[in-house]
Amino acid sequence: MKFVRSLENMFEKYIEGFFNKKFSSGLQPIEIGKQLVRTMDDEKTVGISKTYVPNLYIVYLNNADYSRIVSYSLTICKELSFYIADQAEKRQYTIIGTPVIEFNEDLGVTKGNFRVASFFSEPLPEENTLESEDLGCLDSDTRVFDKVDCSMIGKDTCLLGTLKVLEGPDMGVKIDVKNNRVNIGRRASNELPLTDLNTSRLQAYVIVEEKNHILYDAKSLNGTYVNDHRIMRKELVNGDHIKIGNTVILYEVN
């Protein structure tokens, strides 16, 4: 509990007095830390051997509150990062990399309030995962998604498709989509790496569920669209156009 006490002391020393003097909104900064932990608990993804939690958390504030906290943001974010890491360790969660906390302004947030968005900005390890309700749109039951080598099971049982970039900096790039997970985004190790700066490091991914290719948005900042509709989860069909950032990708079934 020593770390938690030190966090609360940090809030009192560096933030509470500042908020009390500068804010008339009633915003309580200690609640930010508590909400980050609640979000971490809610957005966990259960793997075969580990439970993963998001590594990127964005706190959205009213523009007036944001302008007052921005000069303290580096200190606050650093302390909150330590706090999240500590709480994850106590819960035996795994975070890929160091937790990153950012503050942004949002005109839709009323004065004295805030909202938290979390993201997996790094691809999860390629172990079989139980995709839980981390995207808020899966069924209540959990499913196992196995990585399958098509050469081992034959064409009749292997789902074959392709993703081809039609528009954007990577136009012409084409990859096969089989029974393996395909990560899409700016990270070089993704199965479909993109150079489009308007995409996230892990923007979206495709997995197989019940003999269908399913596209999931990885809680990206700019969103993932299929046929001009923003999606969190979408069963792909032949001819679907996936738009992320300035990139348009065609999904086709072989």
Side-chain angles (χ1 to χ4, degrees), residues 5-18 20 29-30:
R5 287 198 299 270
S6 68
L7 175 72
E8 293 175 343
N9 291 338
M10 184 278 295
F11 274 123
E12 290 180 3
K13 181 177 180 180
Y14 295 107
I15 306 175
E16 293 286 5
F18 173 77
N20 291 338
I30 195 67

Side-chain angles (χ1 to χ4, degrees), residues 111-166:
K111 196 172 183 180
N113 294 305
F114 65 93
R115 67 180 179 89
V116 175
S118 63
F119 307 90
F120 289 89
S121 65
E122 301 287 341
L124 298 182
E126 290 186 358
E127 65 166 315
N128 296 335
T129 56
L130 299 179
E131 301 289 344
S132 62
E133 293 184 341
D134 59 302
L135 297 179
C137 56
L138 300 183
D139 296 335
S140 58
D141 60 318
T142 55
R143 302 183 178 94
V144 178
F145 305 112
D146 292 321
K147 182 172 181 178
V148 180
D149 183 352
C150 290
S151 65
M152 300 293 291
I153 62 178
K155 284 188 176 182
D156 291 340
T157 53
C158 186
L159 184 59
L160 301 176
T162 59
L163 292 172
K164 182 178 180 180
V165 180
L166 299 182

Side-chain angles (χ1 to χ4, degrees), residues 74-131:
L74 290 179
T75 299
I76 298 170
C77 291
K78 181 178 179 181
E79 296 295 333
L80 288 174
S81 176
F82 289 142
Y83 181 56
I84 286 294
D86 179 75
Q87 293 300 307
E89 182 178 0
K90 289 179 179 179
R91 289 164 168 77
Q92 297 185 325
Y93 295 157
T94 297
I95 299 179
I96 306 301
T98 301
V100 176
I101 317 296
E102 297 179 358
F103 285 95
N104 278 337
E105 55 184 323
D106 184 344
L107 297 178
V109 176
T110 58
K111 196 172 183 180
N113 294 305
F114 65 93
R115 67 180 179 89
V116 175
S118 63
F119 307 90
F120 289 89
S121 65
E122 301 287 341
L124 298 182
E126 290 186 358
E127 65 166 315
N128 296 335
T129 56
L130 299 179
E131 301 289 344

